[in-house]
Amino acid sequence: METQDIHVEILYPHVSVDCVLLSVVEDKLCVLLAELTRENDVKGFKLPGSLIYETENLDQAASRILKESTGLTRIPLKQFQSFGDPARTTNKDDVHWLENASKLKVGRIVTVAYLALCKARKRTNTNERYNTAHWIPVDELPRLLFDHNDIIKAAVQAVRRWVDVEPKIVFDYLPSKFTVTELRRTYEIIYDKKLDVRNFHKKMNSFGYIVPTNEMEEGVPHRSARFYRFDPAKYKKIYSKLSNN
Amino acid sequence: METQDIHVEILYPHVSVDCVLLSVVEDKLCVLLAELTRENDVKGFKLPGSLIYETENLDQAASRILKESTGLTRIPLKQFQSFGDPARTTNKDDVHWLENASKLKVGRIVTVAYLALCKARKRTNTNERYNTAHWIPVDELPRLLFDHNDIIKAAVQAVRRWVDVEPKIVFDYLPSKFTVTELRRTYEIIYDKKLDVRNFHKKMNSFGYIVPTNEMEEGVPHRSARFYRFDPAKYKKIYSKLSNN
DNA sequence: TTATATATTGTATGAAATACATGAAGTTGA
DNA sequence: TCAACTTCATGTATTTCATACAATATATAA
C-alpha cells in the first residue's frame, strides 16, 4: 500500500454502521455479538457492523447487517447515535484485527449505531469474517473491540426511551400471539423493574391496539392464559393521530 | 488531482458535522443559515457545517462550528441524527459550490447533525466561505443546499421531544433574568401551541429550579412583571436524582 | 378431593393535567 | 383625578392518569 493511499485514508475517515440487536433470552436482556476469527491471534467480541457500501444509504446498510448476522428482515432498525472520537481506533489489537479482516489501512472510523429489539434465533448466520454470533447478557459483557461497550450502554438507554414513544418495537420482538404475562415480562426486562400485574392489564387495555384472540394456552399445568395479538391497523390509526398534533 | 485520489474519495465518504441553531426572533422559530458567497455563481443558503478535522471528535467539531458561525461558546449542542444517503450529493450545483469552497473532490458526504437553542445575535461571525449568516423562520425556508431542509425538519421535531427531557436548553436560550410571560412565549413557540397562563404559572413553580428575583420590569406602559432566574444548582440536584432511577 | 400454580379482575387514593374568570397594578390621556 | 386601557397575578373544580393493594377462578397433579 502506497504512502499516498495511507495519507488519504487517515485524512478521510471511514464510515461504518454498527447494529445493537437486543433480545430477551432466558429472562435476560441480551445483545448479539460476533466472535472474531482466530486467524490472526486476536480474540474477542464485537457488534455486527460493516463499512457502508458505495450505493447504499445508512438505513440500508443497517438492514443488510441485520440480515447478514441474524437472517432476519423487516425488523425496523432505529438509528440512535453516531460515534466518531478519533480515540475509538487507538487500541492496536482492535485495529490490527480490522485491517486484516477488511484488507484496508484503517485510520479513523466514524460509526452510525442502530438498534432493534428482535427475536433471538439459535441459528444466526455466519459471515466470512466471524466465527459465530452469540447472545450475551448486557450485564455480563466482556471488554469488546473499539468503543462497543459504550455503544451498547447508550443503546440500552435509548431503547428504554424509545419503547414509550414507539411501542411497536416490542411486537416486532414478540411472537404473533402472546399472553399478557409474556408481554409484561418483556416490559419488565426492558425497564429492568417489576410491574404490577393488575395495573399492567389496565394499561395494556388502554393501548387500544392489543386485541384478544379466541385461542388459549395449552399444555400448561395450571389455568391457561388467553392469547392476544398486536393489531397493526389500530396501532397505525392511533399513532398517526398523535403525530398530527 | 489524480485519478487514484478521486477513486479513493468516492469509495470513502467524507464526514461532516452540521449545526441546526434555533432561536426565537420576533415570535418566530428561526434557524441560522449561512449565505453562500457569489464567487462561483451559485446562490443559496445552507446550515453552518464543516468537514471534521483529523484530531477532533464529533462534539468538538459541533462546538467549533457553533463558535465560528455565532461566536457563542458553552451552549450545549445535542447530536440528534446522521444523514448519509448517497443521493444527498446528487445536485450538481450543490456539489459544484462545495468543491470550490473546500478545494476537494466531493463524492459522498455523511453528516452528523447537531442542534441547539441559542440566543440570536445580530452580529454573527463570518467565515471565509460565507457572506453572512441570517436567522430565517423555519416556516419560510427557501430550498437549501443538499438535504438541509430535511435536517431542519428533523431538528424541530427533536427539539420538541428534547425540551421535556432536558428543559435546561430553554435557559441557555433565554437571558439570565426573564419574566413568566417571556418563558411562556418561548414554550409556546417551541411547542407551536398556546399555553394557559394560570396553568403555566403552576407548572413553572412545580419545576423547582426557577426562582423569583427582587427585580421588576421597568419602563413598560402597564403593570410591571417580576423577573425570575434559572437556578443551575437546584436544577442539577433535581435531574441527578431522576437519572439515578 | 385436595394441593398448587398461574390467570384474571376492581377499588380506593393521590398526583398531575386541564378548563376557566377576576381583581391588581401600572400607564395614558381626556 | 378619574376613566380607559393594558398586562400581571392568582384559585378552584374537574378529569385523567399512576399507583397500591388481595381475592376468586381455572387448570393440572397427586
Side-chain angles (χ1 to χ4, degrees):
Chain A
M1 197 167 268
E2 292 164 29
T3 313
Q4 190 176 14
D5 272 329
I6 291 172
H7 167 73
V8 169
E9 287 162 3
I10 289 176
L11 193 59
Y12 304 132
H14 295 267
V15 176
S16 66
V17 166
D18 285 310
C19 291
V20 182
L21 305 175
L22 298 170
S23 193
V24 178
V25 182
E26 290 167 9
D27 280 352
K28 287 179 178 174
L29 186 63
C30 293
V31 58
L32 189 78
L33 295 177
E35 186 174 5
L36 307 186
T37 58
R38 303 291 171 88
E39 289 168 24
N40 40 52
D41 252 14
V42 180
K43 297 176 186 179
F45 294 89
K46 67 183 283 293
L47 290 171
S50 155
L51 296 181
I52 56 175
Y53 294 170
E54 282 185 59
T55 57
E56 69 187 358
N57 65 32
L58 301 174
D59 290 355
Q60 289 163 345
S63 297
R64 171 173 60 79
I65 293 160
L66 172 72
K67 188 176 177 188
E68 285 174 1
S69 56
T70 67
L72 294 169
T73 55
R74 296 175 195 283
I75 299 279
L77 284 139
K78 182 178 179 61
Q79 187 200 118
F80 72 96
Q81 195 176 329
S82 295
F83 298 80
D85 197 306
R88 296 186 72 233
T89 44
T90 46
N91 181 300
K92 295 253 189 302
D93 284 342
D94 295 354
V95 173
H96 179 229
W97 171 82
L98 182 56
E99 290 186 344
N100 268 280
S102 68
K103 309 299 178 203
L104 292 168
K105 184 79 190 163
V106 172
R108 179 178 181 176
I109 302 180
V110 173
T111 197
V112 183
Y114 279 73
L115 71 85
L117 258 186
C118 55
K119 300 187 216 306
R121 295 203 168 177
K122 283 267 167 66
R123 181 147 308 282
T124 51
N125 289 8
T126 52
N127 183 300
E128 72 267 22
R129 290 191 293 165
Y130 312 128
N131 274 332
T132 41
H134 307 269
W135 290 102
I136 301 189
V138 295
D139 291 332
E140 303 168 19
L141 294 177
R143 192 256 157 188
L144 308 178
L145 261 67
F146 309 112
D147 55 355
H148 290 190
N149 293 80
D150 298 330
I151 295 177
I152 292 169
K153 201 176 287 181
V156 171
Q157 291 172 3
V159 85
R160 283 179 186 149
R161 272 178 274 125
W162 194 26
V163 158
D164 293 320
V165 177
E166 212 172 315
K168 186 175 179 304
I169 51 167
V170 173
F171 305 96
D172 294 323
Y173 155 72
L174 284 170
S176 58
K177 316 266 172 158
F178 49 83
T179 66
V180 182
T181 300
E182 285 168 345
L183 183 62
R184 180 169 49 81
R185 287 215 202 291
T186 305
Y187 273 93
E188 286 179 341
I189 289 163
I190 294 170
Y191 291 135
D192 195 24
K193 74 173 178 191
K194 287 267 168 235
L195 299 175
D196 179 85
V197 181
R198 279 168 291 185
N199 293 338
F200 186 80
H201 273 254
K202 254 185 300 184
K203 186 170 202 69
M204 187 190 85
N205 287 324
S206 77
F207 284 168
Y209 51 78
I210 298 175
V211 296
T213 69
N214 292 324
E215 298 170 59
M216 307 293 281
E217 247 183 346
E218 284 174 25
V220 288
H222 52 76
R223 178 174 174 180
S224 58
R226 180 173 299 277
F227 282 115
Y228 288 76
R229 67 183 178 79
F230 174 75
D231 186 325
K234 290 186 176 173
Y235 181 87
K236 208 171 175 181
K237 203 175 288 180
I238 290 166
Y239 278 83
S240 65
K241 271 182 202 162
L242 282 180
S243 57
N244 285 343
N245 286 350
Chain B
M1 194 165 273
E2 292 164 30
T3 312
Q4 190 175 14
D5 272 329
I6 291 172
H7 167 74
V8 169
E9 287 161 5
I10 290 175
L11 192 60
Y12 305 132
H14 296 267
V15 177
S16 67
V17 166
D18 285 310
C19 291
V20 182
L21 305 174
L22 299 170
S23 193
V24 178
V25 182
E26 291 166 9
D27 281 351
K28 287 179 178 172
L29 187 63
C30 294
V31 58
L32 189 78
L33 295 177
E35 187 175 4
L36 307 185
T37 58
R38 301 292 170 87
E39 288 168 26
N40 39 52
D41 252 12
V42 180
K43 297 176 185 177
F45 295 90
K46 66 183 284 293
L47 290 171
S50 155
L51 296 180
I52 57 175
Y53 294 169
E54 282 184 58
T55 55
E56 69 188 357
N57 65 32
L58 301 174
D59 290 356
Q60 287 163 346
S63 297
R64 171 173 60 79
I65 292 160
L66 172 72
K67 188 176 178 190
E68 284 174 0
S69 56
T70 67
L72 294 170
T73 54
R74 298 176 194 281
I75 300 278
L77 285 140
K78 182 179 178 62
Q79 186 200 118
F80 72 95
Q81 196 175 329
S82 295
F83 297 80
D85 197 306
R88 296 186 72 232
T89 44
T90 46
N91 181 300
K92 295 253 190 300
D93 284 343
D94 295 354
V95 173
H96 180 227
W97 172 83
L98 182 56
E99 290 186 343
N100 269 281
S102 68
K103 310 297 179 204
L104 291 169
K105 183 81 189 160
V106 172
R108 178 177 183 178
I109 303 180
V110 174
T111 198
V112 182
Y114 280 73
L115 70 85
L117 257 188
C118 55
K119 299 186 217 307
R121 295 203 167 177
K122 282 264 166 71
R123 181 147 307 282
T124 51
N125 290 8
T126 53
N127 184 300
E128 72 268 20
R129 291 190 292 167
Y130 312 127
N131 273 334
T132 41
H134 307 269
W135 290 103
I136 300 189
V138 295
D139 292 331
E140 304 167 20
L141 294 177
R143 190 256 157 190
L144 308 178
L145 262 67
F146 309 112
D147 54 355
H148 289 190
N149 294 82
D150 298 331
I151 295 176
I152 293 169
K153 201 175 288 179
V156 171
Q157 292 172 2
V159 85
R160 285 181 185 146
R161 271 177 274 125
W162 193 26
V163 157
D164 292 322
V165 178
E166 212 173 317
K168 187 175 179 303
I169 52 168
V170 173
F171 305 95
D172 294 323
Y173 155 72
L174 285 170
S176 59
K177 316 267 172 156
F178 49 84
T179 66
V180 182
T181 300
E182 285 169 346
L183 183 61
R184 180 169 48 81
R185 287 215 201 292
T186 304
Y187 274 92
E188 286 178 342
I189 288 164
I190 294 171
Y191 290 135
D192 195 24
K193 73 173 180 190
K194 287 267 167 236
L195 298 176
D196 179 84
V197 181
R198 280 168 292 187
N199 293 338
F200 187 79
H201 272 253
K202 253 186 300 183
K203 187 170 201 67
M204 189 189 84
N205 287 324
S206 77
F207 284 169
Y209 50 79
I210 298 175
V211 295
T213 69
N214 291 324
E215 297 170 59
M216 306 295 281
E217 245 181 347
E218 283 173 25
V220 288
H222 52 76
R223 176 175 175 183
S224 58
R226 180 174 299 278
F227 282 115
Y228 288 76
R229 66 181 179 81
F230 174 75
D231 186 326
K234 289 185 176 172
Y235 181 87
K236 208 170 175 181
K237 203 176 287 182
I238 290 165
Y239 279 83
S240 66
K241 272 182 202 161
L242 282 180
S243 57
N244 284 343
N245 286 351

